[in-house]
Amino acid sequence: MDTASSPGRRAVLAGVGTLLGAGAGCLGADRTPAASETDWRMYGRDPGRTRYVSDADLPRDGVEIAWSRSVSASGWLPPVVANGTVYCQYANGLFVVDAETGDGDVANTYGGFGRGAGPMAFASTTVYRDGVLLVPYGNAVAGYAAEPDGWPETVSGIGEDRARWWIDGEGVSTAPPGGFGADAAQSGTPVVADGTVVSLHPQGTVSAVTPDDGGERWRYGLAAANPDDEYSLVPIDHVVDTATGTVVVKGRVLGGPVLVGLDLADGTLEWTVGEGRTPEWRVEAGDSMAARDGTVYTVGWTESDSSRAVRIRELDAASGGRGWTRPLERDAHVGFAVDETTVYHVGVIEADEGADPIGVAAIDRADGGVRWTETIDDAPGSILTEGGPPPTVAGDLLLVPSRAGLHALATADGERLWTFTETVGTSGGGETERAALTPAVVAGDRIVIGTTLMLYGLGDDGD
């Protein structure tokens, strides 16, 4: 079994320097702010990226606008919510607002802050009361002071004045490292699990650090898990299954997907599974993996008699052992969500004529059987990923972002319950629907979603 590297002298010294020199926040024994059921702290909501809110009680007969914040340019990153505060980056600034009312300020950004970045994440800390806002930039991740009232009107550069620490594939530092040459991928956003920030660096390293100061707990070079002697393993996604304490990394070797399981506690290699070549040498990257209750679900491609088909595969998180496989005839993959009993897949169906509609399928977690399917005569939302924003399971509703807004389906049978649609003026004097540009983030009785030139908080009758 391969063992991950331990923290070096550079990491330890840099972590101590960050702790002593930060100057903001107060010492405390417990992690603060404390996590709550209304939090949505990372892309995919939880370490397994299931996008599932079990106790949500959203209306089945439609939603109203509780609050809205307009912008002159979209460029939204997916919102995160912690301790009742929404952090949402757009093209020219960072919204830091109350999830219930939408009240709050915008920190106008000039320079590189939030630009070319992946989705943000939030972690509690034991040293600072306000936690840390995590922003991935290419091969680097920054940890910023998160205090909602502490954000200035203007953030210049890459926010060095608010940065507590930086990490990359090699270690931790108090100054920005290299690695800003390429945009961060959606799946490059950090996962926060059991008080540890787990990051996938595009140069082929997985790191686990403390959110207090970026101090390194372990680091693993994926080259050691590569089953191919000739071609490199290119990382594309990662999740954490908290039931087994396993970090699962998805990558590609030339044209074939490879999955790697690492121990969350110390980064040791647990298993490697190579799935073989796929049609067109294609490995689905965006929003193509989730983990829950000791099981991993991954999306790939398979052969079909009539058209292209996605393949959803079940694996055991502890061993990498394969379970059921479910093909679905889809022309494109958008994303999926997982609750206690069901995997919900959203993709695009190739139409004989006209626009390609959205195809939704509910798949039984027990045996991979299809419970129901539904076709939505609409296109996926934005260009956040290749296919568009992934769905959200909120109580008994499945929320599907689209070009026309947001659709709500019943999880029991796929019944279309409501569609939220607003319009915006065009340069030609007409109107068009505001497209959903982020996933639907559910926090308590609010749905927070970024759309064309507008950030919305949706709820029941605007209360």
Side-chain angles (χ1 to χ4, degrees):
M1 180 178 294
D2 292 333
T3 303
S5 62
S6 59
R9 183 173 182 272
R10 175 191 172 208
V12 174
L13 290 177
V16 172
T18 303
L19 172 63
L20 297 179
C26 302
L27 295 175
D30 299 325
R31 293 185 186 129
T32 58
S36 75
E37 292 300 318
T38 61
D39 287 347
W40 187 297
R41 292 189 166 204
M42 65 199 82
Y43 187 61
R45 188 175 191 263
D46 52 53
R49 303 202 204 281
T50 65
R51 304 176 179 89
Y52 174 47
V53 185
S54 61
D55 58 351
D57 185 20
L58 299 176
R60 295 173 61 88
D61 57 355
V63 288
E64 301 291 338
I65 299 172
W67 55 263
S68 61
R69 302 291 295 265
S70 64
V71 295
S72 58
S74 296
W76 300 107
L77 291 178
V80 294
V81 181
N83 202 31
T85 298
V86 177
Y87 300 85
C88 190
Q89 176 75 26
Y90 80 105
N92 299 317
L94 174 69
F95 278 92
V96 184
V97 300
D98 184 271
E100 189 69 19
T101 65
D103 294 336
D105 297 324
V106 180
N108 297 308
T109 54
Y110 300 92
F113 180 87
R115 290 179 171 85
M120 299 177 176
F122 185 97
S124 297
T125 52
T126 58
V127 176
Y128 307 99
R129 294 194 185 280
D130 58 344
V132 61
L133 187 65
L134 307 165
V135 182
Y137 298 90
N139 199 49
V141 178
Y144 294 97
E147 171 59 44
D149 295 331
W151 288 90
E153 292 183 4
T154 299
V155 177
S156 60
I158 49 178
E160 292 92 337
D161 291 344
R162 294 193 59 81
R164 290 175 174 156
W165 50 261
W166 299 79
I167 60 170
D168 60 9
E170 298 181 356
V172 60
S173 176
T174 54
F180 291 90
D183 290 351
Q186 286 292 109
S187 301
T189 177
V191 171
V192 182
D194 295 338
T196 300
V197 179
V198 182
S199 301
L200 180 61
H201 304 277
Q203 293 180 0
T205 302
V206 185
S207 68
V209 305
T210 172
D212 285 335
D213 57 10
E216 189 175 291
R217 292 180 171 166
W218 55 261
R219 184 175 68 253
Y220 186 86
L222 290 170
N226 188 356
D228 195 294
D229 295 331
E230 184 177 1
Y231 297 100
S232 299
L233 192 160
V234 180
I236 56 177
D237 203 353
H238 74 303
V239 296
V240 173
D241 176 61
T242 55
T244 61
T246 306
V247 179
V248 183
V249 179
K250 184 176 184 178
R252 66 166 66 88
V253 176
L254 190 57
V258 174
L259 296 170
V260 177
L262 305 175
D263 190 304
L264 174 62
D266 58 16
T268 53
L269 177 65
E270 297 293 336
W271 50 264
T272 300
V273 174
E275 297 189 40
R277 295 284 177 86
T278 57
E280 304 176 15
W281 285 11
R282 177 176 179 178
V283 178
E284 193 62 51
D287 300 308
S288 65
M289 193 164 58
R292 180 181 173 87
D293 303 330
T295 303
V296 179
Y297 303 95
T298 179
V299 176
W301 292 90
T302 188
E303 301 286 356
S304 172
D305 293 337
S306 58
S307 64
R308 293 171 35 161
V310 298
R311 180 208 61 213
I312 302 174
R313 174 166 285 165
E314 176 196 57
L315 294 95
D316 181 80
S319 66
R322 296 179 180 180
W324 53 258
T325 297
R326 167 55 54 190
L328 295 170
E329 292 195 356
R330 298 290 186 266
D331 189 56
H333 165 74
V334 174
F336 56 10
V338 183
D339 65 16
E340 289 102 335
T341 62
T342 308
V343 176
Y344 303 91
H345 181 267
V346 175
V348 176
I349 300 173
E350 185 176 13
D352 293 334
E353 56 183 32
D356 295 339
I358 296 172
V360 184
I363 301 162
D364 194 318
R365 289 183 59 196
D367 58 11
V370 177
R371 289 181 166 175
W372 55 259
T373 61
E374 177 69 17
T375 300
I376 302 175
D377 189 17
D378 196 356
S382 76
I383 55 172
L384 277 172
T385 61
E386 182 179 347
T392 297
V393 186
D396 60 358
L397 298 186
L398 179 68
L399 305 177
V400 181
S402 76
R403 194 76 55 82
L406 183 66
H407 301 282
L409 281 64
T411 57
D413 55 12
E415 177 188 359
R416 298 268 299 278
L417 299 176
W418 52 260
T419 298
F420 172 78
T421 299
E422 287 285 303
T423 59
V424 61
T426 65
S427 58
E431 289 188 337
T432 186
E433 292 89 356
R434 295 186 190 269
L437 305 182
T438 74
V441 166
V442 176
D445 59 359
R446 287 286 175 263
I447 302 171
V448 181
I449 187 168
T451 70
T452 306
L453 303 181
M454 190 75 74
L455 180 67
Y456 285 112
L458 308 177
D460 187 3
D461 297 328
D463 293 335

